[in-house]
Amino acid sequence: MKRVLMTAGALLALATGASAQTAEPPKTVRPDQLTFRDLYKELVEINTTLSVGSCTAAAEAMGARLKAAGFPEADVKVVVADGHPREGSLVAVLHGTDAKWKPMLLLAHIDVVEAKREDWTRDPFKLVEENGYFFGRGASDDKAQAAIWVDSLVRFKQAGFKPKRDIKMALTCGEESEAYNGIEDLVKNHRPLVDAEFALNEGADGLLDEHDKPVVLEIQAGEKVYQDFTLTATNPGGHSSRPTPANAIYQLSAGLDRIGAYGFPPRFNDATRGYFTQMQARVPAETAAAMKALVANINDPAALKTVTADPMWNSMLRTTCVATMVNAGHAPNALPQRATANVNCRILPGAPIDEVKAKLGELAGPAITVTLAHESKPVSPPPPLTPAIMGPIQKEAAKLWPGVPIVPILLTGATDGVHTNAGGIPTYGVSGLFGGSDGDGVHGLNERMRVKSLYEGRDFLYALIKDYAGGK
């Protein structure tokens, strides 16, 4: 899942014209950018959908690029799990010179969402440059960042750059479908290949206004945990002509009403506190005052009511649970013997799933059982936004986008960072890739990446990696 821009409410009104699929192209294109374009094109044009594609083929192709640049065979590996021959991951390392510096990890997924040719204006698996955009499935999610990671390692090797810390890279499969998840497998079963002090990943981008100008650059620090619960009410049933007070449908409905009326307690972490602090200068005065009061006291009732009126902001501040599917009864002329509902929760990072399950049971009532609908996701603590992390981002962003504010966010969706954060590798979403508020076709039709944004993001991330890695 790609970075859905997390700016909400009034800020989105600044970006109303970004859906025209036209953008100003770069005034000039450097030779090294054309070389990168070739790498990017190769990766986008390798079909990596779950149905017919192969992440293994993409991993092998990018591995060949690294080897051609001078990486030894021992430092470039394609990891293929038993039973998943087309879902291989590429792991690579550029070794550092100082063992006191712990490694960093560059993470990206190379699988993509399905795309039907008959629905697209262009072939989704041919990279097309048109109207200032690159079009193609994965052009944004997430092959843009994956290509930048490979390209950066190639450039470091060719330039003879000697980092102080190991720079590791993992291009993995399964983020979009999760039939098998590559980074989860690597963290659990091949930890030395990806173990790091911190990781850089997708999860946040930059936002353009209606004039194609940068508005904010977002940095993701933490994401909510996805979990479905099954609520079940049972009853002996009987003939519908003789109704009884205990009715499975009514019991389930009453429990869902109580869940729907409940608001989980709000809570700040580094990302959300930073977000609502930074946003005060970019929203109307009344909203800004509410945000200021909320930062001072998260339980301020008036401030909380104002801010959480925006569904996105509400979701950033608290665990949310919502009924998404119901099924009940077995015949139109019989009392229901069973009524079930799916309740989908997006849980704040660090909050135990068992506590959410217990609260749902309390709200639903004794007549309803609550069970996990699937294996629980790992609890993913939010990574701290330390000066060591934020300093280089602020430094390099100021060179390319002077005056553009950097806003930390909590992702209410999900990325592969849930697995690395849970595994003790603090993971930050940072790309420097600016796009429109409409999502640029990610997961939908005619997915695109602004050409200028791709080249600027490449320069930003290359410099950022060097800052984090040290060396010369």
Side-chain angles (χ1 to χ4, degrees), residues 246-297:
N247 182 295
I249 291 177
Y250 298 156
Q251 290 170 327
L252 180 65
S253 298
L256 292 176
D257 279 345
R258 289 188 290 271
I259 290 171
Y262 179 73
F264 282 82
R267 196 178 73 201
F268 278 132
N269 57 36
D270 282 358
T272 51
R273 185 181 296 278
Y275 178 88
F276 287 104
T277 300
Q278 292 273 2
M279 286 295 294
Q280 293 169 31
R282 276 162 280 280
V283 296
E286 182 180 352
T287 306
M291 287 183 174
K292 183 176 181 180
L294 195 66
V295 170
N297 175 16

Side-chain angles (χ1 to χ4, degrees), residues 5 36 52 110 124 150 218 242 259 273 276 283 290 298 379 419:
L5 291 168
F36 166 67
V52 299
I110 51 176
V150 177
E218 297 177 334
R242 298 186 296 275
I259 290 171
R273 185 181 296 278
F276 287 104
V283 296
I298 198 168
V379 175
H419 299 292

Side-chain angles (χ1 to χ4, degrees), residues 21-33:
Q21 298 190 7
T22 59
E24 181 183 353
K27 291 183 173 60
T28 60
V29 180
R30 307 190 307 259
D32 66 290
Q33 290 172 330

Side-chain angles (χ1 to χ4, degrees), residues 4-19 206-211 215-216 218 275 279 282-284 310-313 435-439:
V4 176
L5 291 168
M6 300 300 296
T7 44
L11 188 58
L12 281 181
L14 298 175
T16 57
S19 60
L207 178 68
L208 299 168
D209 68 11
E210 71 273 21
H211 303 296
V215 177
V216 295
E218 297 177 334
Y275 178 88
M279 286 295 294
R282 276 162 280 280
V283 296
D310 185 299
M312 185 64 73
W313 290 340
S437 63
D438 66 348

Side-chain angles (χ1 to χ4, degrees), residues 157-193:
K157 176 63 76 171
Q158 292 176 337
F161 175 62
K162 303 293 184 184
K164 289 187 176 180
R165 69 170 87 236
D166 286 358
I167 304 174
K168 297 181 178 181
M169 182 188 72
L171 306 186
T172 62
C173 199
E175 198 268 0
E176 299 292 9
S177 65
E178 300 207 3
Y180 156 82
N181 189 279
I183 189 59
E184 181 181 23
D185 180 35
L186 290 172
V187 170
K188 289 181 178 178
N189 301 313
H190 307 276
R191 181 64 181 245
L193 295 178

